[in-house]
Amino acid sequence: MSNRDIIVIGGSAGATAPLKQILGRLPADLPAAVFVVLHIPAQGIGILSTVASSAGPLPVRQAQNGMKIEAGHVYLGAPDHHLLLSGDHIFLGRGPRENMVRPAVDALFRSAALYHGPRVIGVLLSGLLSDGAAGLNAIKRCGGMAVVQDPADAISDEMPRRAMEATTVDLCVPGAAMGDVLSELVKEQAGAALPIPPEIRLEVEIAAGERIGSDKLLSVADPVALTCPACGGVLSEVKNARPMRFRCQVGHGFTADALAKEQEGRVDEALRVALRIIEERAELVQRMAADGRRSGRAAVAEMYEARSREYREYADMIRRVVLKSLDPPTGEREA
């Protein structure tokens, strides 16, 4: 029986520091391959060199399509491609973005769960929103292990906290201790393989870039009265998903909190456009009132002045709404 020889690691804001700690503690003879996806702009911060310089004796390579998986190697997600595992090889998918990112942590985690089941150790580090929670849940459903960075140790604790809400986590570990813990876990024998839920296989196909069609989507999701912020299509809610998630017919995927964040930005933009239009309308009507007075049309001038005051009241109301929308809810400030 095989050991737990596939380690998949995901994170975003604040994940670089614990990742460096993990890789620096893994031994040269690690009997497992390590795969990493971070939701940060890889080209902008030189993430490959940053990770490589901290990996101790383990070689770090940017993943390439068709690359054979080898134990004792670290594979880093390539920009603008989903990092997917396919048997004993790597596949780079150009499927739709998930939570507006590609590569996506969830896509990597699902593909590992699909092809390697109980041999997988999923690790979720510091980050925002609930990225990775669905993928970690998929790993658990396929017999793998789920490990999260201790939220109290994370710069951004949302990702590990959301994962702990979405699935039964096996271990919650500070970043500094994670490397030693993983070095021991990979020595354990993997458990028995479990049946693969059909939605996991379908979502891996989506990340790979395969066409899904409405019939396939209906088998795992129910249409809802929500619009995809990426393409404007109809969203469907994935059945029995933890956390709550949505897919459109094109394949764009969103957790509920990521979708709400995208909507929030669009609402703010729409309010600002409305504010500009109403203020321009008030200015125009005020000028029309002034022109009426100059031409001796007092009744027309009074009518336009009343309209201008009304428009400015509307503008003040929208301005207050915009300013209020910038303040986080009380619960978020206290969290």
Side-chain angles (χ1 to χ4, degrees), residues 157-222:
D157 65 0
E158 288 183 74
M159 280 177 59
R161 286 190 185 279
R162 298 293 185 268
M164 294 170 74
E165 295 168 1
T167 194
T168 302
V169 170
D170 295 289
L171 292 169
C172 180
V173 185
M178 189 82 74
D180 293 333
V181 170
L182 293 174
S183 297
E184 293 301 316
L185 290 178
V186 296
K187 299 175 184 177
E188 297 180 1
Q189 287 190 337
L194 300 178
I196 303 298
E199 67 273 14
I200 293 178
R201 187 179 300 277
L202 176 60
E203 290 190 283
V204 171
E205 293 173 357
I206 292 172
E210 296 186 22
R211 183 180 179 278
I212 55 170
S214 57
D215 290 344
K216 278 190 177 181
L217 186 61
L218 282 171
S219 68
V220 300
D222 297 318

Side-chain angles (χ1 to χ4, degrees), residues 33-54:
V34 182
F35 304 86
V36 180
V37 164
L38 299 182
H39 289 171
I40 53 180
Q43 303 102 319
I45 65 169
I47 188 63
L48 179 60
S49 59
T50 299
V51 173
S53 65
S54 308

